[in-house]
Amino acid sequence: MSFQHPSFGSVADNRVFIFDTTLRDGEQSPGFSMNIGEKLRMAHALSALGVDVIEAGFPVASEGDFESVRQIAENVDGSVICALARSGGRDIEAAGEALKKAKRGRIHNFISTSPLHMKYKLRMSPERVLELIESGNKQARHYTDDVEWSAEDGSRTEPDFLCRCVETAIRHGATTINIPDTVGFATPEEMRALFSMLRERVPGADQVIFSTHNHNDLGLAVGNTLAAVEGGARQIECTINGIGERAGNAALEEIVMALKTRHDRYGMTTGIETPRLLSISRLLATITGFDVQPNKAIVGRNAFAHESGIHQDGILKHAGTYEIMTPESVGWNSTSLVLGKHSGRAAFRDKLESLGYGDITDELVNVAFQRFKDLADQKKVVFDDDVRALVDEEARDHDRIKLQFLELQGGTAHKAHVLLGLEVDGVVQEAQSDGNGPVDAAFRAICQAFPHKATLALFSVANVTEGTDAQAKTTVRLQEDGRLVDGQGSDADTVVSAVRAYIHALNKLLVKRQRSAPEALKV
Ligand code: KIV
Ligand code: ZN
């Protein structure tokens, strides 16, 4: 079976489209907000990864969301750019407006269809919901031919009513039909059966792409996604590192590698360049301040580490004994030793390309190269993870607060004392403070240079690589009026890394202050 899709043309039956919602469903979870510059950087990396659709945001939610969707639509090629909208209200108009400059734009309109949501959340009758499905899809088609419709809480919707909703959406212009497991309640067998049922029963089902969107409340998001593919879904909605509401969404890297590694079972292909998976996972972790757990599949630090003697012996004899995919296939390099102080700009550029940073600007390469040189002066060898940490940090443009300088005194003979300069909106503010140790003194000085009422909720330090000259990677969590943000910083000097992390968190707080969406808009 093959048919013409408005954005993808002729669609082969074994092609699975990857719809990434890191910048929308992922970004709306607590502590994961990103500013426009960070979203743009992620969007470029997603496009280079080969993602088919990037859900860039929810334009009606706030001016910041509108602007980031608009800028991604204008600047990011290669992927379809999608904007979320509720069926009804101003949402679809805002989405259409934000997507105006997209080469290929999609409007994703949704409404709840389960008895519980219709009665308590929407306070609408099923008939009213059907009317809104009709008007929403018709309205979206005024802006683009590529229209997706979602049945929120679809997995808990009565099958007969779900069939009527899907039929209505198709009849009025939807070209992709998404059935979310919004609360992560379904089981794999239910998912497979749900998609088979819809494809069998709904008129026009063979003229649309069915899509699956799974939350991870019971840890079943990836399993449910794969089961949906077996039931006939050909679009997968997922996020990098599985970030998202509550327990998160299905993890892109896990699904893609499951489809690839078990091609024998699923027989499906995606357009994802899997060697880029690790670098985009790291990029997101740096931007959001949330590292993935060490045992996370595919991108966790231990995902390819073999500790037990029996496993190591097996691996040395034949890698296939304990490895079902190669580390290189997802971006882990077999040699992690990289550059030293004599390495030049060309070698640095080459290294950036091999780590998946081929698309960064010359300006950013120059700044990162300078920091690399400083680091190479302090450390004998610079590892891949060091390079990633410093490039990702320098990539955070649009920051309103930047560290200008830091001088400190401490040890056994002197009380810790810090003198520091911050550039705040282009103006340098100096401050100095004593403290109980250099980190305490530095944080006090930041509070003087940039007064704020946020409080410190978490402070943790880890090493980026091994050895006493390793860079420190610090996470700082700040809390203000119920908002929570995490910042990260890295440097061979632990205090500098802590200060960078604090400043990163402050910058994220400033973004959050600008964009508190009304409660009603939360999806
Ligand atoms: O989980 C969900 O139901 C959603 C929809 C808005 C697609 O994120
Ligand atoms: Zn969701």
Side-chain angles (χ1 to χ4, degrees):
M1 184 270 290
S2 83
F3 68 94
Q4 289 292 321
H5 183 272
S7 289
F8 304 128
S10 172
V11 173
D13 200 33
N14 67 345
R15 174 70 155 84
V16 171
F17 293 96
I18 300 296
F19 174 115
D20 179 276
T21 183
T22 306
L23 299 178
R24 198 278 298 169
D25 217 340
E27 204 252 357
Q28 77 191 34
S29 55
F32 282 86
S33 60
M34 301 174 220
N35 65 28
I36 295 182
E38 291 165 342
K39 285 188 183 177
L40 262 172
R41 176 140 182 70
M42 273 306 293
H44 280 296
L46 286 167
S47 158
L49 180 68
V51 157
D52 298 291
V53 185
I54 298 172
E55 188 162 54
F58 185 25
V60 84
S62 70
E63 268 175 42
D65 267 52
F66 181 93
E67 190 51 24
S68 49
V69 175
R70 198 191 65 71
Q71 288 200 26
I72 290 170
E74 185 169 359
N75 296 301
V76 179
D77 296 335
S79 310
V80 172
I81 307 301
C82 174
L84 185 71
R86 289 166 300 187
S87 315
R90 273 209 59 249
D91 293 38
I92 292 175
E93 193 188 328
E97 217 24 61
L99 289 173
K100 241 182 190 161
K101 298 244 169 86
K103 289 211 173 65
R104 290 180 296 157
R106 170 180 300 186
I107 293 179
H108 174 191
N109 71 116
F110 75 98
I111 191 164
S112 293
T113 52
S114 66
L116 207 63
H117 276 223
M118 288 192 293
K119 183 168 176 195
Y120 293 105
K121 181 182 131 168
L122 298 178
R123 294 173 203 272
M124 282 179 196
S125 68
E127 292 313 315
R128 178 69 189 136
V129 167
L130 286 167
E131 277 168 23
L132 286 172
I133 295 172
E134 174 175 340
S135 60
N137 284 290
K138 274 183 178 161
Q139 190 189 355
R141 282 298 290 253
H142 290 308
Y143 296 96
T144 171
D145 287 347
D146 189 340
V147 171
E148 172 168 337
W149 177 75
S150 280
E152 189 183 4
D153 209 16
S155 58
R156 293 195 299 171
T157 299
E158 288 176 344
D160 287 350
F161 183 61
L162 187 61
C163 285
R164 283 179 71 199
C165 292
V166 171
E167 185 183 349
T168 307
I170 296 174
R171 196 156 4 97
H172 295 288
T175 47
T176 301
I177 298 292
N178 182 43
I179 311 294
D181 183 27
T182 302
V183 291
F185 181 73
T187 66
E189 183 43 40
E190 286 166 353
M191 266 294 150
R192 196 197 54 71
L194 178 60
F195 281 90
S196 300
M197 182 275 290
L198 290 171
R199 290 177 58 239
E200 218 172 274
R201 286 182 51 186
V202 177
D206 58 344
Q207 293 308 306
V208 294
I209 292 179
F210 277 91
S211 166
T212 183
H213 174 120
N214 297 295
H215 282 269
N216 205 28
D217 300 66
L218 293 174
L220 292 173
V222 170
N224 283 342
T225 300
L226 294 170
V229 170
E230 289 189 308
R234 289 293 176 270
Q235 174 177 284
I236 291 172
E237 302 200 353
C238 47
T239 59
I240 301 296
N241 297 344
I243 70 168
E245 284 282 9
R246 306 180 308 277
N249 289 56
L252 181 150
E253 58 281 1
E254 294 179 18
I255 292 161
V256 166
M257 289 315 290
L259 290 176
K260 185 168 175 172
T261 308
R262 295 308 311 275
H263 190 266
D264 59 319
R265 174 170 175 92
Y266 297 103
M268 297 290 153
T269 58
T270 71
I272 298 297
E273 277 197 43
T274 62
R276 289 180 181 268
L277 287 171
L278 181 65
S279 62
I280 196 162
S281 159
R282 293 287 168 88
L283 174 63
L284 181 67
T286 307
I287 287 175
T288 58
F290 286 101
D291 266 345
V292 299
Q293 83 243 29
N295 59 324
K296 165 87 175 61
I298 318 297
V299 292
R301 189 170 69 234
N302 291 351
F304 292 89
H306 302 281
E307 188 72 23
S308 99
I310 294 174
H311 288 203
Q312 286 174 352
D313 182 52
I315 286 277
L316 289 175
K317 288 176 175 149
H318 189 292
T321 51
Y322 289 100
E323 265 176 16
I324 57 169
M325 56 200 148
T326 64
E328 290 78 11
S329 67
V330 297
W332 292 95
N333 291 353
S334 45
T335 73
S336 56
L337 179 64
V338 279
L339 309 159
K341 63 195 267 183
H342 301 298
S343 307
R345 192 179 302 264
F348 185 67
R349 217 340 154 189
D350 271 3
K351 175 49 75 179
L352 291 182
E353 270 173 29
S354 79
L355 293 177
Y357 295 98
D359 58 334
I360 68 175
T361 61
D362 287 345
E363 198 188 336
L364 183 52
V365 174
N366 291 343
V367 181
F369 182 65
Q370 191 47 55
R371 259 194 79 185
F372 153 71
K373 281 289 190 190
D374 295 344
L375 186 64
D377 272 341
Q378 296 167 46
K379 271 180 115 226
K380 277 198 289 294
V381 287
V382 178
F383 294 89
D384 287 355
D385 280 352
D386 289 319
V387 175
R388 284 193 187 96
L390 69 85
V391 176
D392 291 343
E393 205 169 295
E394 288 306 329
R396 288 185 210 137
D397 46 4
H398 297 83
D399 279 356
R400 286 178 55 195
I401 308 172
K402 293 179 180 135
L403 176 64
Q404 277 283 311
F405 63 86
L406 174 80
E407 286 169 22
L408 58 94
Q409 171 187 296
T412 50
H414 302 281
K415 191 166 172 59
H417 183 84
V418 162
L419 170 66
L420 128 165
L422 298 184
E423 190 188 304
V424 181
D425 292 330
V427 180
V428 177
Q429 310 284 355
E430 284 188 26
Q432 49 185 313
S433 176
D434 289 340
N436 294 321
V439 173
D440 184 49
F443 286 6
R444 286 170 190 268
I446 293 174
C447 292
Q448 286 176 34
F450 182 77
H452 55 274
K453 61 183 169 76
T455 53
L456 185 69
L458 178 143
F459 172 66
S460 81
V461 187
N463 44 329
V464 173
T465 56
E466 301 303 314
T468 51
D469 64 352
Q471 287 198 89
K473 183 167 170 183
T474 306
T475 301
V476 163
R477 177 172 296 168
L478 295 180
Q479 193 165 12
E480 184 190 76
D481 297 336
R483 302 184 189 101
L484 218 54
V485 286
D486 280 24
Q488 280 198 328
S490 56
D491 199 276
D493 183 317
T494 308
V495 183
V496 175
S497 117
V499 166
R500 288 189 198 281
Y502 198 112
I503 293 172
H504 183 215
L506 274 181
N507 278 307
K508 288 172 80 173
L509 212 50
L510 294 180
V511 176
K512 276 226 159 181
R513 282 185 194 161
Q514 277 168 8
R515 58 188 293 252
S516 340
E519 214 40 42
L521 290 174
K522 301 255 165 70
V523 279

